[in-house]
Amino acid sequence: MFSGGLDSSAMLVKLLAETDDELRVHHIRMANREARAGAEQAAVERIVAWCRERYRPFRYSESGLDFAALEAIPIDYLCIAFVACQVAIDTPRCNRIAVAALARDTDIENRSARQRRVFDTLYDCYRARKLGEPEVQWIYPVYHSTKQQLAAALPAELVALTWSCRRPVRRVGQDGEHWQPCGACKACLARQGI
């Protein structure tokens, strides 16, 4: 699963460079009142193009969830579990899902366990219909890294393409739309010092 952020970009590069696995990279355009979908989409497109020029081939797909009319912001990791299930079913021989969670993320152990439970419940429905693989494993290729380690392991050019802000400021100029990080959200604070 790919968001266009530093963590998922580092995970993608790691999988492309260190494995010969057939990869399906999937991005979820998640519209909500934070309005970050456009900034993430732009980053994803730049990063996918950058990786395709420099690494081996991979399959790319995307889907969308639109929660813009809701006041509450949906829980990302549960949305990811739902979409990951659909992608796993849609991908022949898919037996692993890679997620760019970091050990230092807040409450990651509990979030990861809940995410896998949601996925397993959904995927059980498909297995009952004899669709999909008998078992799908969740892997965390960059789990033990820090953001600083991830940034240091990537080319600076790629780090500059990533997007992390949860509440971007949209600017429209003569050359089109641009997004500026808010500098205050949790994701912006986590990137400080990189």
Side-chain angles (χ1 to χ4, degrees), residues 38 47 55 60 75 81 88 96 102 121 130 132 153 173-175:
I47 294 163
Y55 296 98
Y60 174 76
I75 301 169
R96 288 183 294 168
L102 302 182
T121 300
K130 302 197 184 319
Q174 291 178 339
D175 57 344

Side-chain angles (χ1 to χ4, degrees), residues 5-143:
L6 178 65
D7 305 351
S8 67
S9 297
M11 176 183 73
L12 175 57
V13 167
K14 182 179 180 75
L15 293 171
L16 287 169
E18 297 178 12
T19 75
D20 58 358
D21 296 339
E22 185 179 326
L23 299 183
R24 178 174 187 177
V25 178
H26 189 84
H27 171 65
I28 307 166
R29 290 180 320 279
M30 198 166 348
N32 62 37
R33 68 184 180 101
E34 289 177 318
R36 68 183 198 265
E40 286 181 354
Q41 183 68 36
V44 164
E45 290 171 8
R46 290 188 308 261
I47 294 163
V48 166
W50 191 93
C51 288
R52 282 194 164 141
E53 287 178 14
R54 289 160 179 84
Y55 296 98
R56 61 190 174 82
F58 58 91
R59 181 178 175 192
Y60 174 76
S61 59
E62 57 185 52
S63 60
L65 296 173
D66 190 339
F67 301 106
L70 301 180
E71 289 297 317
I73 297 170
I75 301 169
D76 285 358
Y77 69 87
L78 297 178
C79 296
I80 292 167
F82 168 72
V83 174
C85 181
Q86 308 315 306
V87 173
I89 293 303
D90 189 57
T91 308
R93 299 173 312 284
C94 176
N95 60 8
R96 288 183 294 168
I97 295 172
V99 180
L102 302 182
R104 293 181 181 197
D105 288 344
T106 307
D107 193 33
I108 193 62
E109 295 295 331
N110 289 327
R111 272 191 302 165
S112 294
R114 289 190 298 263
Q115 185 178 51
R116 287 189 308 271
R117 278 198 307 270
V118 168
F119 176 88
D120 288 344
T121 300
L122 291 167
Y123 202 71
D124 282 345
C125 295
Y126 286 100
R127 280 196 294 257
R129 293 169 50 197
K130 302 197 184 319
L131 299 171
E133 295 297 313
E135 182 181 343
V136 177
Q137 177 186 17
W138 285 64
I139 61 171
Y140 304 90
V142 295
Y143 185 78

